[in-house]
Amino acid sequence: RVVDMRSICFSEMEVLHRGEWWRFVTTFLFMGDQMFSIFYWMQIYHFWECLKMLELVKYHWEPSGFIKMIVSCAMLLIGLKQLRREAIFLSAPLVTTFMYMYSREY
């Protein structure tokens, strides 16, 4: 590994005390460290397709609503992370959230 996963994961102490605000973004962008696994590529594919379909069909005429939906889901997951401290990356729950929203629409 080039980078230790704990150095890029979301940590409340690092954000509050050191001002590392970029950790809000990296916790949702890290999809796993095994790029050759099928789970990694399926997660990327579902993330892309679900967001594409939600944007094209449900939020076609209101792009601000689309951005609000993404930001509110991310903030809700960061809030819910306080209940489960062992979840250090939130990309898989975010993809699952968008897949659920997509399945409820169609």
Side-chain angles (χ1 to χ4, degrees):
R1 288 188 188 155
V2 177
V3 178
D4 185 25
M5 288 190 293
R6 289 173 293 187
S7 66
I8 62 172
C9 71
F10 180 72
S11 170
E12 297 84 4
M13 299 300 288
E14 300 291 330
V15 171
L16 295 176
H17 295 300
R18 293 188 182 171
E20 296 179 354
W21 298 100
W22 53 268
R23 290 182 183 264
F24 281 113
V25 176
T26 58
T27 190
F28 295 110
L29 293 180
F30 185 76
M31 298 282 183
D33 60 346
Q34 298 176 353
M35 290 185 63
F36 299 112
S37 71
I38 189 73
F39 177 71
Y40 176 83
W41 292 107
M42 290 293 287
Q43 193 171 5
I44 297 285
Y45 173 77
H46 284 118
F47 181 70
W48 182 264
E49 287 297 316
C50 289
L51 280 181
K52 181 177 78 170
M53 291 307 291
L54 283 170
E55 180 186 17
L56 289 176
V57 177
K58 185 174 181 181
Y59 295 101
H60 183 68
W61 298 110
E62 47 186 288
S64 63
F66 184 64
I67 298 298
K68 287 177 192 173
M69 182 261 309
I70 293 174
V71 170
S72 64
C73 286
M75 290 298 120
L76 183 66
L77 284 173
I78 286 177
L80 289 174
K81 181 191 176 297
Q82 306 307 314
L83 301 175
R84 294 192 58 187
R85 295 280 184 176
E86 66 271 6
I88 60 173
F89 291 106
L90 299 174
S91 59
L94 189 66
V95 171
T96 306
T97 303
F98 293 141
M99 285 176 56
Y100 175 76
M101 293 173 70
Y102 173 76
S103 69
R104 294 295 293 171
E105 277 299 311
Y106 306 104

